């Protein structure tokens, strides 16, 4: 059997093994930041975990894309979204060892069209060909989206059959300082599948980039149908009540024309009508009484 025939048989065999018309990428649409980094292992083989439609198969969501995004709908390994600090391992089939296969860092266009020859040594992901389990150097896993594709010295070109992988590395912006709790302990550090980073999603009554602000109006401090406006006084959260007619005070609990604490400085206060009061002075003070009325 000639070398050409052997290569043709290998290609045909792998094509029969590729999953077609089946949604095989299990992904969560929203992920929560994990404090401890985690290892991820990707099987570098076209026999499994290959998706063709970038949205319905690779991400299990409805199509609502631009023309540019549709270009990503090519056979590929299930795309990854990792946290900054996670470790990535590539596991290859023993049968690939004889082909001198490696991974190469490519542009988005080269990812879509598959790489050609002529890549620089510094674009190779590994210093030697893939054999067994290899860890991807963290230098290749900086924040952003990276495109990796199969590059071979001999044997079948398997990129167009799915041996290409796009990896998005996300960092989190959920801490005011390195030692501060995520989202000030008042929210969750989350990222949607199409977002570029993790950000705080605050619990009710909290707001701000790090959920550091407590919404005083949420506890309804203003009474008697008064409106509440959140204010910020320096670093302390505050609020202001706008009182309806006949009510006053910080929380609109005081009735205009009614006795309040210290209304009569040296005497007793008595409510006469819903909007009038009477002061009766103590001994030693001017002995007279008066009525205050709001009309």
């Amino acid at each position: 059997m000639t070398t050409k025939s052997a290569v043709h048989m290998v290609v045909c065999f792998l094509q029969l093994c590729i999953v077609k018309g089946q949604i095989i990428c299990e992904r969560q649409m929203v992920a929560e930041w994990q404090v401890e980094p985690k290892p991820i292992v990707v099987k570098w083989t076209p026999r499994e975990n290959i998706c063709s439609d970038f949205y319905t198969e690779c991400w299990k969501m409805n199509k609502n894309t631009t023309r540019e995004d549709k270009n990503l709908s090519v056979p590929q390994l299930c795309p990854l979204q990792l946290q900054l600090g996670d470790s990535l391992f590539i596991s290859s089939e023993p049968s690939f060892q004889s082909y001198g296969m490696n991974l190469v860092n490519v542009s988005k266009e080269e990812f879509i069209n598959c790489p050609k020859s002529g890549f620089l040594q510094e674009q190779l992901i590994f210093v030697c060909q893939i054999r067994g389990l290899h860890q991807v150097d963290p230098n290749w896993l900086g924040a952003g989206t990276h495109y990796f594709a199969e590059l071979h010295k001999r044997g079948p070109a398997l990129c167009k059959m799915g041996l290409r992988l796009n990896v998005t590395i996300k960092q989190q912006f959920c801490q005011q300082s390195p030692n501060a709790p995520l989202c000030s302990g008042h929210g969750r550090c989350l990222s949607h599948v199409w977002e570029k980073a993790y950000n705080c999603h605050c619990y009710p009554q909290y707001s701000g980039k790090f959920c550091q602000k407590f919404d005083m109006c949420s506890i309804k401090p203003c009474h008697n149908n008064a409106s509440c406006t959140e204010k910020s006084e320096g670093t302390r959260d505050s609020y202001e009540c706008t009182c309806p007619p006949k009510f006053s005070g910080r929380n609109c609990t005081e009735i205009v024309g009614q006795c309040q604490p210290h209304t009569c400085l040296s005497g007793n206060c008595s409510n006469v009508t819903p909007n009038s009061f009477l002061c009766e002075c103590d001994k030693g003070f001017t002995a007279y009484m008066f009525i205050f009325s709001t009309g």
Side-chain angles (χ1 to χ4, degrees), residues 91-112:
S91 175
S92 70
E93 292 187 4
S95 59
F96 290 164
Q97 295 181 11
S98 60
Y99 298 140
M101 188 177 296
N102 204 326
L103 276 66
V104 62
N105 181 54
V106 297
S107 65
K108 182 177 180 180
E109 182 181 358
E110 290 168 331
F111 174 84
I112 294 170

Side-chain angles (χ1 to χ4, degrees), residues 174-176 180-187 200 206 210-213:
C174 298
Q175 292 175 287
Q176 286 183 290
L182 293 172
C183 303
S184 305
H186 302 138
C200 287
Y206 291 92
F210 305 107
C211 304
Q212 75 280 12
K213 296 174 59 179

Side-chain angles (χ1 to χ4, degrees), residues 5 50 88-89 98 116 121-122 125 149-150 178 193 247 257 290:
S5 299
I50 299 293
L88 177 61
F89 294 84
S98 60
K116 306 297 187 293
Q121 186 69 26
E122 53 264 30
I125 303 301
E150 169 259 355
V193 67
F247 292 96
F290 64 90

Side-chain angles (χ1 to χ4, degrees), residues 188-203:
R188 299 174 66 190
C189 187
L190 304 175
S191 180
H192 188 272
V193 67
W194 297 122
E195 292 175 337
K196 296 181 179 180
Y198 286 77
N199 292 285
C200 287
H201 292 246
C202 303
Y203 297 142

Side-chain angles (χ1 to χ4, degrees), residues 248-262:
S248 64
R250 176 170 171 77
N251 296 328
C252 302
T253 55
E254 300 175 9
I255 303 174
V256 176
Q258 292 282 281
C259 292
Q260 304 296 335
H262 310 298

Side-chain angles (χ1 to χ4, degrees), residues 44 101-107 110-111 114-115 119 125 130 147-152 159 163-166:
W44 199 255
M101 188 177 296
N102 204 326
L103 276 66
V104 62
N105 181 54
V106 297
S107 65
E110 290 168 331
F111 174 84
C114 283
F119 284 92
I125 303 301
I130 300 177
Y147 299 96
F148 302 147
E150 169 259 355
L151 187 68
H152 65 286
C159 172
L163 282 192
R164 46 189 155 184
L165 173 69
N166 85 76

